[in-house]
Amino acid sequence: METSKFSKFGAEFVGTLVLVLMGCGSAVIAGANGTTGVGLLGISFAFGLSVVAMAYAIGHISGCHINPAISIGMVVAGRMKASEAIYYIIAQVLGAIAGASILFFIASGKAEYSLAAGLGQNGYAELSPQHYNLVSGFIAETVFTFIFLLVIFGATSTKNINGGFAGLAIGLSLVLIHIVGIPITGVSVNPARSIGPGVLVGGQAMSQLWLFIAAPILGAILSAAFWRFILEKN
């Protein structure tokens, strides 16, 4: 029996909520607070493990995109209809905002916390963790998303005899991307993941949001085209 649109919408909403809550939460709550912080490596694994967990929880329902760039990439690769991608993306963005909102309410329980401290939002230039400029940020987000989508297409291909491990491969690739990319932009490769914290924090985070929408989508389109017309043909 075909899974209903409502079920897929719910799965994408909850999956993206978990990704933002746990991934960004690792930075905001458990990040680098003295000797108790999990540090860059811990944050990287929090994002990757969130994807692994959700892949096995909701993958059989919606495919566990939890990322507008993935849904758009699937359309370009011919694996998804544009009409279906639209409600996936709506669910993902709403889920990300919900996840960021829950994180804010939890973080607010600490007396010294203020929204100015952030919610794990992405940024370049003065908002970059190590002050990388706009060009570096755009290139990084485009290339990292290209790589991420390439792993997804390969891991979920019907020709892949190790398809049962797709969720693990995809999650670990996200860990790898975060290990390298956190100092540059905090790593998005996912417009919804950036929109959730960005709209709540506002200000400069909101004004820089365009990059974390445009670059991941560009990377996804390039990766999908490369997979569909070059790799998959062979």
Side-chain angles (χ1 to χ4, degrees):
M1 189 173 77
E2 186 178 352
T3 305
S4 70
K5 289 183 178 180
F6 183 79
S7 295
K8 292 179 179 179
F9 186 98
E12 289 296 307
F13 176 89
V14 171
T16 315
L17 184 157
V18 170
L19 174 68
V20 172
L21 175 60
M22 306 308 282
C24 294
S26 69
V28 174
I29 297 173
N33 301 314
T35 58
T36 62
V38 297
L40 184 151
L41 193 59
I43 296 169
S44 299
F45 268 96
F47 275 100
L49 290 174
S50 295
V51 169
V52 172
M54 289 301 99
Y56 291 105
I58 65 170
H60 62 290
I61 299 173
S62 67
C64 189
H65 293 188
I66 60 176
N67 180 341
I70 294 175
S71 297
I72 291 170
M74 289 295 175
V75 172
V76 176
R79 294 191 184 183
M80 187 180 200
K81 294 180 179 179
S83 57
E84 187 174 30
I86 291 172
Y87 72 80
Y88 265 55
I89 292 169
I90 293 171
Q92 292 154 4
V93 171
L94 292 178
I97 294 172
S101 299
I102 293 171
L103 176 58
F104 171 67
F105 286 124
I106 293 172
S108 298
K110 190 175 182 180
E112 54 267 41
Y113 174 82
S114 71
L115 191 56
L119 285 171
Q121 69 273 13
N122 301 114
Y124 57 85
E126 64 273 16
L127 296 188
S128 161
Q130 291 190 11
H131 303 113
Y132 284 85
N133 65 19
L134 185 156
V135 175
S136 293
F138 196 94
I139 292 172
E141 289 292 334
T142 301
V143 173
F144 292 160
T145 308
F146 179 97
I147 295 169
F148 187 42
L149 267 290
L150 207 59
V151 173
I152 292 170
F153 290 131
T156 59
S157 171
T158 55
K159 298 178 182 178
N160 191 335
I161 60 174
N162 297 309
F165 295 98
L168 184 60
I170 293 165
L172 288 177
S173 71
L174 192 60
V175 172
L176 177 62
I177 287 168
H178 276 77
I179 290 173
V180 178
I182 284 177
I184 305 170
T185 61
V187 181
S188 172
V189 299
N190 182 341
R193 172 260 182 272
S194 298
I195 291 170
V199 297
L200 266 70
V201 173
Q204 281 187 299
M206 192 67 178
S207 68
Q208 293 188 2
L209 199 54
W210 68 270
L211 186 148
F212 303 103
I213 296 173
I217 290 175
L218 175 61
I221 292 172
L222 292 173
S223 188
F226 182 72
W227 174 264
R228 183 175 185 178
F229 300 111
I230 298 177
L231 297 187
E232 200 174 33
K233 289 290 185 182
N234 299 314

